[in-house]
Amino acid sequence: MCGLCKNRGASIGCVFPKCRRSFHYPCGVKKECIFQFTGSFRSYCWEHRPVQKIVSSQADSSPCTICLEHISNVPSYNVLHGPCCKTSWFHRNCLQRQALSAGLFFFRCTVCNNRDKFQKEMLRMGIHIPERDASWELEENAFQELLVRYQRCDAKKCVCRGGREYNDPESKWEIVCCQCCGSSGTHRACSSIQKLEPSWECPDCSGIVSTPGKRSRPASLAQSDQLGCLGFGIESSPKCPRLSTTPEDKVLLRHIPTQERTILDILHNLRLQINTDSVCTMLIQRETLWESSIECFQNSKFCPSGTLRVKFTKHKFRKECKQSNGSLSEYFGLLLNAIRSSPLLEGSEHKNIALNFEALQDKLYYEAGRMVALALIHGGPAPGFFSQTLFRCLLYDPQLVLPSVEDVADPNVVQAILTIQSCQRLGMLKSAVDHYFDYLQKTGSLCLVQTVRDRDLLVKQLLSYHVIRRVQQPLESFKQGLMTLGVLEKIQAHPTLFWSALVLGPEKLTAKAMADLFTVTYTGLSAKQQSDALGFWVDYLEDTEEGTTASSLEDILNFATGLPSIPPAGFDPWPSVRFRNKASLKARKNIHCLELPVCSSYSDFTDNMNKAICKVLCKA
């Protein structure tokens, strides 16, 4: 019976010895009992609850450092003191709200930023700190507006025919932003910026970063005036350079520190969102991998943030397959190949979004985006089939991306574009426009032709319609799928790193890379046998790289892991080679382990490896 409300069901008791008080949780909160959400989850009544002892020298007057309202600097149930610094006083309710918002990884003292000592004391005083990431980190695309890049040419005289907001990456009409402020930009041609120049500073920032020794303008501003006289007008800075008493030879320019990150680190951080307590098992049929994958992804019980397991089976019934027998990396490799050859994409080697109304209605573009996002996080191979245009559409507003003729998959459209593009006289251009009049009118690309230069506008409109405007809905649906677990946000934040994975594909394997990738272990072998086994393995990799064996390095990796290349997120677990006596040569792809027998000679080792790998290749 609850000692406060006198009703039954009081399941909480005070842990203090000989104290027999029991109460409900809401009743205990009202009576200012303390419940510890750590360790053995102890509960204390209002009489035996833990209290804070404050040294008199620390009892300085201070407001609550969270809400900034006046607070009496006497420790009590509703007033808590930080153990790490003498000026930190808090309301209990303020602290609890901050802990629920910040989570275990970001909850710390608001004054001195101490975390370990502060969290330990707050847990003792009954503050609940959830073991999760901060609420602002869990909100999907919460910082999307920070990824919006300044896209306007601020040169005094912009010479681009497309206007100040026209941007064509990797050309002279690419808009380069100031490396210091990021709020000013210019076309490369408008400010005579060479393609190899890594950075550019606007006139405002160059006057601040450069440090003149006298009341003379910086060299960069003088150069700006010279460029203005040449027709590349750069507006001079209204800001006056600061005077400095420091000798010019002792002044260092300001450097913006940057920390290099790898795609492996980024994907591993995204993988931290995976909930290991929630397991989602996918039943996949190899013969109908695309259809069965769509069925799994569209299942109401499918959770992208859960731990994924794969079961390859020939049956549709879950009871026919007792255990997970598939490598997740191998599955996502097969799935990416299925996406590459699906009707959702078009193109020969590098793909763009295709228009398929049935797939759009069934939300297959969204599912394809989710599949690519999860493949990157869960150790799938580098897709490598994105076209440059598709990748830029992920980074920028698609309407600002200018496609090329290579992006067009329809041969009839390619013929029309090439015909218009090859017109050298106005009469030829008008004749081509008359010939394709219906198509130009249908696509909204028809314009008044007055000069031969108007052909460039016609070609631009045709390319924009066929590659981008025509597939705007499927493209947006695909991007929505890529937002799963924040993958698209990381692509936009680190385009250089993801360019190699999405567009270029995996790097070519080498014998050294393979030797470093696999961890070699031994079971029941003598020192001489271990030395011989390791030598056979390394020699076989080197011979395979030179082409003297019946297989390739990609075949060996595929045989052991189910993937012919190293995935951007790495392997989990990392591949290993296990030598043991009287073992049969086999690959356990679900744990990326290659079990090899001990051979007496290198020729026997080579024959065994070639036969095993060729047998698997023949089945595939």
Side-chain angles (χ1 to χ4, degrees):
M1 180 177 294
C2 179
L4 299 173
C5 69
K6 306 304 179 183
N7 292 325
R8 295 186 178 276
S11 58
I12 303 176
C14 179
V15 299
F16 193 80
K18 297 183 181 181
C19 181
R20 311 186 71 177
R21 292 190 180 99
S22 297
F23 38 85
H24 300 106
Y25 178 77
C27 298
V29 172
K30 290 180 181 179
K31 191 62 175 174
E32 298 183 351
C33 300
I34 282 185
F35 306 91
Q36 293 181 349
F37 297 90
T38 183
S40 58
F41 287 77
R42 299 185 169 208
S43 300
Y44 296 89
C45 68
W46 56 92
E47 182 180 342
H48 301 117
R49 69 189 181 200
V51 295
Q52 289 184 310
K53 296 181 180 180
I54 307 299
V55 181
S56 58
S57 61
Q58 290 182 327
D60 298 331
S61 59
S62 173
C64 172
T65 57
I66 297 179
C67 68
L68 301 181
E69 292 184 0
H70 177 72
I71 189 173
S72 58
N73 292 358
V74 178
S76 63
Y77 176 81
N78 293 313
V79 177
L80 298 177
H81 181 266
C84 42
C85 52
K86 63 181 181 179
T87 59
S88 56
W89 290 86
F90 310 91
H91 292 112
R92 174 180 288 271
N93 291 337
C94 295
L95 263 180
Q96 186 59 74
R97 283 196 296 268
Q98 184 194 11
L100 293 176
S101 176
L104 183 65
F105 303 105
F106 289 92
F107 181 60
R108 58 193 67 197
C109 178
T110 56
V111 177
C112 67
N113 217 28
N114 181 280
R115 188 177 72 170
D116 296 336
K117 190 176 180 181
F118 183 77
Q119 286 188 4
K120 184 177 180 181
E121 175 66 11
M122 294 306 121
L123 286 171
R124 186 181 76 90
M125 296 306 298
I127 299 298
H128 173 44
I129 310 174
E131 191 174 350
R132 59 170 174 78
D133 212 343
S135 58
W136 57 84
E137 296 288 346
L138 296 176
E139 183 179 351
E140 191 170 359
N141 299 319
F143 307 100
Q144 187 70 23
E145 65 276 2
L146 298 179
L147 302 177
V148 178
R149 188 173 180 268
Y150 189 80
Q151 293 285 345
R152 192 177 187 277
C153 178
D154 296 323
K156 187 174 183 180
K157 182 178 179 181
C158 179
V159 296
C160 179
R161 293 185 60 189
R164 289 186 178 271
E165 296 183 356
Y166 177 76
N167 179 37
D168 184 13
E170 298 185 0
S171 71
K172 64 179 181 179
W173 303 122
E174 178 185 8
I175 293 181
V176 180
C177 292
C178 174
Q179 69 163 349
C180 296
C181 67
S183 60
S184 181
T186 179
H187 291 115
R188 287 187 177 272
C190 297
S191 296
S192 188
I193 303 175
Q194 299 298 325
K195 195 169 184 180
L196 297 179
E197 292 185 32
S199 60
W200 171 78
E201 294 173 356
C202 66
D204 292 347
C205 293
S206 62
I208 298 174
V209 175
S210 301
T211 309
K214 301 179 181 180
R215 289 183 63 94
S216 59
R217 291 181 304 168
S220 57
L221 290 181
Q223 185 179 4
S224 301
D225 292 343
Q226 294 177 3
L227 293 176
C229 297
L230 295 175
F232 299 101
I234 300 178
E235 190 174 357
S236 59
S237 172
K239 302 176 183 177
C240 296
R242 292 182 298 175
L243 295 178
S244 175
T245 57
T246 308
E248 187 173 359
D249 57 347
K250 295 184 179 180
V251 175
L252 297 179
L253 297 182
R254 183 181 64 186
H255 294 281
I256 301 177
T258 57
Q259 182 178 4
E260 294 186 2
R261 298 190 66 186
T262 64
I263 190 173
L264 181 67
D265 298 332
I266 295 172
L267 294 177
H268 277 193
N269 288 337
L270 291 177
R271 193 182 290 177
L272 295 177
Q273 304 174 69
I274 301 301
N275 183 7
T276 55
D277 296 331
S278 174
V279 179
C280 181
T281 303
M282 298 184 294
L283 198 63
I284 302 298
Q285 299 175 346
R286 289 181 182 268
E287 294 76 10
T288 57
L289 186 135
W290 172 250
E291 291 78 8
S292 56
S293 297
I294 290 293
E295 184 178 351
C296 290
F297 272 72
Q298 292 184 339
N299 192 310
S300 59
K301 296 182 179 180
F302 178 79
C303 179
S305 61
T307 302
L308 300 183
R309 296 286 185 267
V310 178
K311 293 181 179 180
F312 288 116
T313 178
K314 296 182 179 180
H315 308 281
K316 292 185 178 180
F317 303 104
R318 190 170 296 274
K319 63 181 181 180
E320 299 292 343
C321 190
K322 301 297 183 183
Q323 60 181 359
S324 300
N325 59 353
S327 166
L328 203 58
S329 301
E330 180 186 11
Y331 163 69
F332 278 114
L334 298 173
L335 184 58
L336 289 178
N337 288 333
I339 296 176
R340 183 202 298 261
S341 57
S342 71
L344 306 181
L345 304 176
E346 62 182 10
S348 56
E349 182 179 358
H350 291 90
K351 305 289 185 176
N352 285 293
I353 299 295
L355 181 60
N356 188 311
F357 291 105
E358 184 178 354
L360 182 61
Q361 186 177 4
D362 295 338
K363 298 183 179 181
L364 298 188
Y365 291 97
Y366 173 75
E367 299 300 343
R370 288 211 300 174
M371 292 173 181
V372 174
L374 293 180
L376 290 172
I377 293 178
H378 286 279
F385 56 78
F386 282 40
S387 68
Q388 296 184 19
T389 299
L390 176 57
F391 185 78
R392 288 168 182 161
C393 287
L394 302 180
L395 305 179
Y396 314 110
D397 182 358
Q399 301 301 327
L400 301 178
V401 178
L402 182 60
S404 62
V405 182
E406 290 75 13
D407 295 318
V408 181
D410 191 336
N412 296 325
V413 178
V414 173
Q415 182 62 38
I417 293 175
L418 293 178
T419 301
I420 296 174
Q421 201 173 34
S422 62
C423 294
Q424 300 296 329
R425 295 192 300 271
L426 183 59
M428 295 175 59
L429 181 59
K430 289 185 176 181
S431 177
V433 170
D434 291 339
H435 184 269
Y436 296 107
F437 181 85
D438 293 337
Y439 179 72
L440 292 172
Q441 189 177 36
K442 178 183 177 182
T443 60
S445 306
L446 188 63
C447 64
L448 182 61
V449 176
Q450 294 179 324
T451 64
V452 180
R453 292 183 178 180
D454 291 332
R455 70 174 179 226
D456 298 333
L457 181 59
L458 284 172
V459 171
K460 176 184 174 182
Q461 293 291 341
L462 281 174
L463 289 172
S464 178
Y465 168 78
H466 194 80
V467 181
I468 296 177
R469 286 187 284 124
R470 185 175 63 97
V471 297
Q472 187 169 1
Q473 282 187 312
L475 177 60
E476 290 302 321
S477 181
F478 182 75
K479 292 175 67 174
Q480 287 289 330
L482 270 178
M483 290 181 183
T484 302
L485 300 180
V487 172
L488 180 60
E489 183 178 346
K490 296 301 182 182
I491 293 176
Q492 294 171 340
H494 307 278
T496 306
L497 298 179
F498 283 91
W499 171 274
S500 59
L502 299 180
V503 179
L504 300 181
E507 297 182 359
K508 184 176 177 60
L509 293 175
T510 62
K512 184 180 184 305
M514 287 283 287
D516 295 338
L517 180 65
F518 282 82
T519 302
V520 182
T521 60
Y522 313 93
T523 302
L525 271 67
S526 63
K528 183 179 184 306
Q529 287 178 322
Q530 292 182 12
S531 176
D532 292 342
L534 180 60
F536 292 164
W537 168 248
V538 174
D539 290 344
Y540 183 75
L541 293 177
E542 294 177 351
D543 290 344
T544 302
E545 184 180 21
E546 295 173 359
T548 58
T549 63
S551 58
S552 63
L553 294 175
E554 289 74 15
D555 294 335
I556 299 174
L557 186 60
N558 191 20
F559 175 67
T561 65
L563 288 182
S565 60
I566 302 175
F571 289 100
D572 186 22
W574 287 99
S576 62
V577 176
R578 184 181 302 168
F579 287 96
R580 55 194 186 114
N581 284 315
K582 300 180 181 180
S584 58
L585 196 155
K586 62 180 179 179
R588 301 173 64 184
K589 295 183 180 180
N590 58 331
I591 60 173
H592 306 148
C593 180
L594 189 62
E595 293 188 354
L596 302 178
V598 178
C599 299
S600 58
S601 64
Y602 177 66
S603 59
D604 293 340
F605 181 85
T606 305
D607 292 341
N608 291 338
M609 289 291 295
N610 290 338
K611 289 178 182 178
I613 295 175
C614 291
K615 184 178 180 180
V616 174
L617 293 178
C618 292
K619 288 183 178 180

